[in-house]
Amino acid sequence: MTDLIDPPIDIAENTPSNPGRGLTIGDLIERRYSRREIMRGSLAVAAVAAAFPNLAADFAASEAQAGTPVASSFSFTELAAGSDERHHVANGYDADVLIRWGDKVLAGAPSFDPAAQSAATQAQQFGYNNDFIGYFPLDGRSDHGLLVVNHEYTNEDIMYPGIATGKTRIEATRDMPTALIEAAMQAHGGSVLEVKRGGDGKWLVVDGSNYNRRITATTPIRLSGPASGHPRLKTKADPHGTMVLGMLNNCAGGVTPWGTWLTCEENINYYFANSDAVKASPDAEKYERFGIPPKDFAYPWSKVDTRFDVGAEPNESNRFGWVVEIDPMKPDSVPVKRTALGRFKHEGAGNTVNKDGRFVVYQGDDQIFEYIYKFVSEAKIDTANHDANKDLLDRGTLYVARFDDGGRGEWLPLVFGHEKLSAFASQADILIDARLAADALGATRMDRPEDIEVNSQTGKVYAMLTKNAKREETGVNGVNPVNPRPKNKFGHIIEITPDGSDHAATGFAWDILVRCGDPSIAAVGATFNPATTADGWFGTPDNCAIDAEGRLWIATDGNSPKDTGRADGLWSMETAGPLRATSKLFFRCPVGAEMCGPFFTPDMETLFVSVQHPGEPEDGQKSTYDSPSTRWPDFQDGLPPRPSVVAITRTGGGKIGA
C-alpha cells in the first residue's frame, strides 16, 4: 500500500551533506556556558527560566515589586498563539492581502484559472511561494514604491488539481504532465511590482505599470565576478560561461544603498537529476558536497529541459547557488549573478555600509552543519552616484566564520594562495566550491544558518539558526545541565559584535540572544526572559527584520500544533536591557504556512510580510489541492490555498508596534 504521508519540504536543509567531524556551534555553546558562567552575567535570568521555571517566576515577581516595571519598546497588545485556517494580527492592526499566487503582474495577463495553468500564463502572473520582500520608494515616498518579491519553490500537490489523488508529494511531482512542469518552472524566480497606498489606507498593485516585471527560471541572467567565464561555468548553450537562464529557489535577500535588489539562490540541488552521472563523474565529491542530486525529493525538470540532467550538462549546476543583483528601477536591465559572494545555499544578504565606506554582506548557508559567511567589498560606496556602484560586488573578500568557545570568533578569508586552500586551482574554484573551501579552513559547523541582519544603530549582527535535530546522530553535544539539547529542534539566535564596530574586522565577539522553544518545559532548555508570556515564545527562527528604530522582529518556519502548539508567525524581540530576550506574538499564519520576508516602509507605517505555502501538509496530515487543510486566502470551493503578500497597517494610521 502506498504511504500517503508526505515528507517535509525542508528535508534537504535538515539532512547534512557536510562530512566533517569538527566542532559544531553546539559544542562551543556547551564549552562556553559552563554551569558557573551561565548562572551569572547577562544570561543568568534566562538560564534560570529554562531550568527552574517556578524559581524564575518568583524572581520576576520580586523584581517587579522592587521598582517600576520596565516598559517594552513594543507597544502592541500581544496576539494569542494557536493554529487555524486563517491569519491573525494584533488588535488595532489591519492585515490585508495585497497579491496572491496567480494574480496579474504584467499588462494583459489572464485572470487566475486553477484548471488552465500553463507556462505562458504563469510567466505573466505572480509566482508561487513568495519569500523575501523589499520596498524601494518612488520619489522618496513611503506610500508609493516598488515591491520586489522572491518566489522560492513550488508545492505541486496543492497547486494543481487531481495530480496528488492517492499519491505522496514525491509521486505527484514526479508524475506531473509536461505542461505543468513547464508552468511550475515559471512560478519560480521573482516579481517586481509598483504599489501604492490609496486614500482609504489600503495598498494596491498598480495595474499595467511599466515597472511590473517577472523574473523566472528562463530569464537571461549575466554571470559576473571572479568565476565568470571559468571553464566550470561553460555549457553547450553558453560556451563563454557568462550567461545563464534563470534563478532558482530564491529564499531571503537584501536591498543595497544604491537601490538594487539582492536575491539569493538556496536549495538549487532539488532541480538536478541523474545520480549515475554524478557517481561516474570526476567531480562526484563536489556534487555530493552540494547534495546534487538530492536523495529524497527532486523536481522533474530534466524531463523538459536537459540542462538539468547532470549527464547531459555537467556544468549547469555550477551556474546556480549565487546571489543575484537586480535593478528594479530599470525594467529592461539584465539581472547579474555576483560570483564574488560565493556559491552555497544562500538564505539572505543582510548588509551594511562599514564605517570606512566599504560594503559588507552577511550570509547564511541554510543547511544543518553549514557555515556563516561575510563579503567585504574592495571599493567604497559612491553615495553621490548610484550607477558607480553597479559592479561593486564583483571585487572583494569572502570570509567564513570560526566561533571559539571563549566567546570570541574569527573571520577566515577564502582567498586563493592560502596554505590551507592549496588544493584549489584558482579563486574561481574556491568560490564555486565555497563549502569545500570553508571545510578546509576549519570553519564552525552551525545549526542551519538562515537570515542574518545588521542593526545599523548598534552595529550588532543577528543570525537565525533554525534548528538541528541531527547532533545526536553525529555523536556530538551530549546532554548536560546547561545544554540539554542533543537534538536542537527549536533553534537559537546568535548575536555577533564586530571588533571596534568595524564590520571589515576579522575578529568578533559572540553571544546567544535566546535559545528557542517552550521555556515552561525544563528539558527543552529554552532561555527566553521570564517576562515572556505563554504566547510570546517560539521555535525555529528563520527570517528577521530590524526596523528604523533598531528593533528586532523574528519570522518563523517550523512551528506546528504537534511541536509547539502554535502556527508560524512574526514575533517582536527585545535585544537589550532588563527585557532582553523577551518576545511578543504580533502576526499568526494560517495552518501549514511559514512566515517570510518582513519588510517595513521607511516611515514604519506599513509592514509587508510573505505567507508562504499555506495548506502545506504538516504533522503527518495529508493536504492536497482537492482536500487542503485551508483554502486561505480566498476560502472559495474550487480554489486552492495561495501564497500571498500581506500588507499590515495600524488602524487609523501610525507606526507599527510603536
Side-chain angles (χ1 to χ4, degrees):
M1 180 177 178
T2 301
D3 182 1
L4 297 182
I5 303 301
D6 293 313
I9 187 60
D10 61 358
I11 192 168
E13 291 120 317
N14 297 321
T15 302
S17 61
N18 188 336
R21 290 293 181 267
L23 291 178
T24 69
I25 191 63
D27 296 314
L28 300 179
I29 291 169
E30 181 176 341
R31 289 185 177 192
R32 181 180 179 193
Y33 297 109
S34 66
R35 184 173 179 82
R36 173 185 294 180
E37 183 176 359
I38 202 167
M39 293 302 289
R40 68 187 184 192
S42 64
L43 292 184
V45 174
V48 170
F52 309 101
N54 294 331
L55 179 60
D58 293 342
F59 177 83
S62 66
E63 288 293 285
Q65 293 171 3
T68 303
V70 179
S72 169
S73 64
F74 299 94
S75 63
F76 63 88
T77 301
E78 186 170 34
L79 183 65
S83 180
D84 59 39
E85 64 179 355
R86 297 182 179 273
H87 73 266
H88 301 268
V89 70
N91 188 42
Y93 291 84
D94 298 316
D96 301 307
V97 173
L98 173 66
I99 189 168
R100 306 157 296 182
W101 165 53
D103 281 348
K104 178 180 180 179
V105 172
L106 303 184
S111 299
F112 177 66
D113 182 350
Q117 299 184 56
S118 69
T121 58
Q122 180 64 84
Q124 304 173 71
Q125 299 167 333
F126 195 62
Y128 203 76
N129 274 342
N130 33 258
D131 198 294
F132 174 78
I133 298 172
Y135 177 85
F136 295 83
L138 289 173
D139 299 322
R141 295 173 59 176
S142 289
D143 62 353
H144 186 196
L146 302 184
L147 209 64
V148 298
V149 186
N150 288 358
H151 298 301
E152 186 178 0
Y153 65 93
T154 46
N155 294 76
E156 286 80 359
D157 50 338
I158 53 178
M159 292 173 71
Y160 302 130
I163 71 166
T165 303
K167 296 180 179 180
T168 66
R169 179 169 189 259
I170 290 176
E171 292 168 339
T173 305
R174 180 194 63 204
D175 299 338
M176 277 198 304
T178 296
L180 292 185
I181 297 174
E182 293 171 340
M185 292 174 69
Q186 298 303 310
H188 284 67
S191 293
V192 179
L193 310 164
E194 183 180 352
V195 294
K196 195 171 186 178
R197 194 172 183 184
D200 59 357
K202 304 299 183 183
W203 286 85
L204 54 83
V205 176
V206 177
D207 187 23
S209 168
N210 290 332
Y211 289 111
N212 291 354
R213 181 180 185 184
R214 278 298 322 280
I215 295 96
T216 74
T218 57
T219 299
I221 298 178
R222 184 166 63 88
L223 291 155
S224 74
S228 177
H230 189 273
R232 292 180 61 199
L233 295 187
K234 296 179 179 179
T235 63
K236 298 181 185 72
D238 175 28
H240 300 292
T242 58
M243 189 69 72
V244 60
L245 294 181
M247 57 187 195
L248 302 177
N249 213 269
N250 293 69
C251 198
V255 300
T256 69
W258 55 92
T260 59
W261 164 28
L262 302 180
T263 174
C264 303
E265 296 182 306
E266 193 188 60
N267 292 304
I268 60 95
N269 57 317
Y270 281 135
Y271 304 89
F272 292 91
N274 199 334
S275 58
D276 289 340
V278 166
K279 291 175 184 176
S281 171
D283 289 334
E285 178 191 10
K286 296 172 182 177
Y287 287 119
E288 291 167 4
R289 187 63 184 85
F290 217 106
I292 296 172
K295 293 181 174 61
D296 297 286
F297 175 84
Y299 290 102
W301 289 15
S302 60
K303 291 182 179 180
V304 300
D305 191 336
T306 56
R307 64 193 173 110
F308 295 103
D309 182 329
V310 175
E313 196 50 85
N315 287 339
E316 187 69 21
S317 62
N318 295 332
R319 294 145 64 83
F320 295 88
W322 305 100
V323 173
V324 186
E325 185 174 16
I326 300 170
D327 188 342
M329 297 292 180
K330 298 177 180 178
D332 296 327
S333 62
V334 177
V336 184
K337 296 193 180 187
R338 301 292 184 185
T339 65
L341 277 69
R343 175 176 168 268
F344 43 88
K345 294 186 177 182
H346 294 268
E347 171 70 24
N351 59 73
T352 188
V353 179
N354 197 39
K355 59 185 180 180
D356 64 1
R358 288 184 288 171
F359 190 60
V360 180
V361 184
Y362 288 91
Q363 308 171 86
D365 186 348
D366 186 7
Q367 191 170 348
I368 62 172
F369 295 128
E370 292 304 335
Y371 306 121
I372 288 176
Y373 300 80
K374 78 171 180 181
F375 170 84
V376 181
S377 71
E378 178 182 292
K380 298 178 180 180
I381 287 180
D382 186 338
T383 56
N385 180 9
H386 283 187
D387 286 342
N389 303 304
K390 65 179 182 178
D391 293 323
L392 187 75
L393 296 179
D394 281 345
R395 291 174 296 278
T397 303
L398 182 66
Y399 297 86
V400 66
R402 187 191 71 217
F403 293 78
D404 300 325
D405 56 15
R408 295 286 303 160
E410 182 180 356
W411 291 104
L412 310 172
L414 292 162
V415 176
F416 181 63
H418 191 294
E419 60 180 355
K420 292 185 177 180
L421 301 178
S422 59
F424 295 86
S426 66
Q427 183 65 23
D429 284 295
I430 288 173
L431 296 170
I432 294 169
D433 294 315
R435 283 182 165 184
L436 287 169
D439 295 345
L441 291 182
T444 302
R445 298 186 296 153
M446 307 297 287
D447 285 354
R448 201 175 145 188
E450 299 224 29
D451 205 4
I452 305 175
E453 294 292 339
V454 183
N455 187 325
S456 60
Q457 297 188 13
T458 66
K460 293 184 181 294
V461 181
Y462 294 93
M464 308 295 111
L465 303 182
T466 292
K467 60 182 175 181
N468 184 355
K470 300 289 186 178
R471 283 192 198 161
E472 191 174 62
E473 296 177 15
T474 66
V476 299
N477 285 18
V479 173
N480 63 64
V482 184
N483 185 38
R485 310 216 307 182
K487 290 189 175 182
N488 182 12
K489 290 180 63 177
F490 303 106
H492 55 288
I493 299 173
I494 296 284
E495 183 182 68
I496 298 170
T497 305
D499 286 355
S501 298
D502 181 0
H503 290 279
T506 56
F508 62 89
W510 68 273
D511 203 348
I512 299 175
L513 174 61
V514 65
R515 293 186 216 165
C516 305
D518 187 347
S520 71
I521 303 173
V524 169
T527 59
F528 286 93
N529 191 298
T532 302
T533 73
D535 297 310
W537 62 267
F538 56 83
T540 58
D542 188 330
N543 291 161
C544 63
I546 297 173
D547 65 28
E549 296 184 0
R551 302 177 306 170
L552 180 63
W553 299 77
I554 309 295
T556 65
D557 172 19
N559 292 267
S560 71
K562 178 181 177 181
D563 285 338
T564 61
R566 58 201 60 203
D568 282 317
L570 186 69
W571 279 261
S572 65
M573 171 66 76
E574 302 280 358
T575 58
L579 291 179
R580 176 179 165 90
T582 303
S583 55
K584 294 171 63 176
L585 178 57
F586 179 72
F587 181 92
R588 204 174 88 200
C589 292
V591 63
E594 71 171 279
M595 170 92 326
C596 307
F599 203 95
F600 291 86
T601 53
D603 63 4
M604 281 183 54
E605 292 201 4
T606 301
L607 169 59
F608 295 104
V609 296
S610 282
V611 175
Q612 188 182 100
H613 58 73
E616 183 175 272
E618 61 178 26
D619 295 343
Q621 299 299 312
K622 187 72 174 173
S623 180
T624 66
Y625 178 102
D626 302 297
S627 182
S629 57
T630 179
R631 292 192 184 276
W632 185 91
D634 301 296
F635 296 104
Q636 294 182 24
D637 289 343
L639 285 181
R642 299 165 73 182
S644 304
V645 171
V646 175
I648 302 173
T649 54
R650 194 166 183 168
T651 306
K655 293 182 178 181
I656 303 293

